[in-house]
């Protein structure tokens, strides 16, 4: 399970990482703005989010995440007694809050519960116009017609549809598709994009090239 932990208190972050790392793949970020960027470009199955963060507070990070249509479970961490923070967090779309100091046993139980919920949400398709992508089954459809896509094309479509109507950087695509043994170049991305574009031609969605920068998946 990929978990993003956003917490600027190094001692707390360290103890949470220590608890989660044997079981999950945990990414730690301490800055709100960078967490926002990471969330707009990467996929996580659970987000553990502190409210008071440098550059952008947790409730804003959460608000932006929900605005992008993400339903990834979010657990907010708030200082005990800070009722406003808690209400603000839940209002912005958090699934649960945990008071600081964090009780690690309670946190573990919560993680399990939220991950279970997240798994059932993964079966709800992400839609753009009449194009849909199902994360769990890794299938794409135009209305009821299943698209015959390669693994690479599916990977690209997933990244694009999660950032629908927004520019997806070419470098980011290269980075996300590259593997330790196989580096994906700009040219290769261009080839995959060409094939993917043809295959989604039957939909009301298109991939627009932003010269020298990247691609935008958008409705026609
Ligand atoms: Ca903090």
């Amino acid at each position: 399970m990929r978990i993003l932990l956003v917490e600027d208190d190094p001692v707390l972050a360290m103890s949470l990482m220590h608890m989660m790392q044997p079981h999950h793949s945990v990414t730690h970020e301490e800055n709100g703005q960078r967490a926002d960027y990471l969330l707009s470009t990467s996929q996580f199955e659970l987000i553990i989010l502190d409210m008071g963060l440098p550059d952008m507070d947790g409730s804003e990070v959460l608000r932006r995440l929900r605005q992008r249509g993400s339903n990834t479970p979010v657990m907010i961490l708030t200082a005990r007694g800070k009722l406003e923070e808690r209400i603000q967090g839940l209002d912005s779309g958090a699934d649960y809050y945990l008071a600081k100091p964090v009780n690690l046993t309670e946190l573990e139980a919560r993680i399990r519960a939220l991950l279970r919920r997240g798994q059932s949400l993964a079966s709800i398709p992400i839609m753009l116009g009449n194009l849909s992508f199902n994360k769990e089954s890794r299938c794409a459809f135009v209305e009821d017609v299943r698209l015959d896509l390669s693994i690479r094309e599916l990977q690209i479509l997933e990244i694009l549809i999660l950032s629908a109507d927004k520019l997806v950087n070419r470098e980011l695509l290269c980075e996300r598709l590259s593997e330790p043994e196989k580096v994906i170049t700009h040219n290769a991305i261009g080839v995959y994009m060409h094939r993917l574009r043809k295959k989604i031609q039957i939909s009301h969605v298109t991939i627009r090239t932003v010269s020298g920068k990247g691609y935008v998946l958008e409705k026609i």
Side-chain angles (χ1 to χ4, degrees):
M1 290 288 168
R2 276 166 57 86
I3 298 180
L4 175 66
L5 169 67
V6 192
E7 170 59 68
D8 62 329
D9 173 345
V11 178
L12 177 58
M14 189 94 83
S15 71
L16 294 179
M17 294 284 282
H18 186 73
M19 186 212 88
M20 295 187 286
Q21 253 165 352
H23 317 287
H24 309 288
S25 147
V26 189
T27 303
H28 173 223
E29 180 53 73
E30 53 196 25
N31 176 290
Q33 214 154 48
R34 284 205 300 270
D36 178 56
Y37 176 74
L38 207 57
L39 286 168
S40 66
T41 52
S42 306
Q43 268 303 297
F44 296 93
E45 277 121 327
L46 173 67
I47 301 149
I48 300 176
L49 183 64
D50 180 31
M51 288 281 98
L53 293 167
D55 290 349
M56 185 188 290
D57 68 22
S59 61
E60 180 61 16
V61 174
L62 179 55
R63 201 186 58 77
R64 291 181 181 215
L65 176 80
R66 294 298 184 230
Q67 207 171 43
R68 287 192 292 270
S70 164
N71 48 23
T72 306
V74 174
M75 174 155 40
I76 54 173
L77 300 176
T78 65
R80 196 175 289 280
K82 284 211 175 169
L83 185 64
E84 324 79 67
E85 271 194 358
R86 212 153 58 189
I87 293 170
Q88 203 182 9
L90 292 171
D91 274 352
S92 327
D95 299 274
Y96 192 76
Y97 72 87
L98 209 61
K100 290 183 185 179
V102 175
N103 175 320
L104 291 183
T105 316
E106 188 187 354
L107 176 64
E108 259 178 294
R110 277 293 139 199
I111 289 176
R112 282 196 300 273
L114 289 176
L115 287 176
R116 274 199 301 274
R117 211 211 67 179
Q119 275 159 353
S120 60
L121 283 176
S123 60
I124 301 170
I126 309 160
M127 305 280 303
L128 181 66
N130 60 352
L131 178 70
S132 66
F133 179 82
N134 188 307
K135 274 175 72 174
E136 195 179 56
S137 56
R138 305 204 55 75
C139 298
F141 292 86
V142 172
E143 315 225 324
D144 293 332
V145 182
R146 183 174 170 168
L147 298 177
D148 181 21
L149 302 179
S150 69
I151 292 174
R152 292 296 188 200
E153 290 156 3
L154 277 169
Q155 281 178 310
I156 292 176
L157 182 61
E158 180 176 11
I159 298 170
L160 291 178
I161 205 166
L162 284 168
S163 297
D165 296 320
K166 276 192 308 205
L167 175 73
V168 175
N169 217 288
R170 229 171 21 178
E171 269 73 39
L172 174 101
L173 286 166
C174 293
E175 200 184 295
R176 293 279 302 276
L177 267 69
S178 291
E179 289 157 19
E181 304 294 308
K182 185 154 175 50
V183 174
I184 301 292
T185 61
H186 285 176
N187 280 348
I189 294 289
V191 173
Y192 295 137
M193 221 38 103
H194 176 73
R195 289 188 200 144
L196 182 58
R197 216 174 243 139
K198 272 175 132 172
K199 291 182 183 177
I200 65 167
Q201 242 169 18
I202 54 165
S203 74
H204 301 146
V205 171
T206 189
I207 301 169
R208 179 164 58 87
T209 303
V210 181
S211 181
K213 291 188 174 161
Y215 304 91
V216 182
L217 185 73
E218 59 191 13
K219 285 192 246 176
I220 298 170

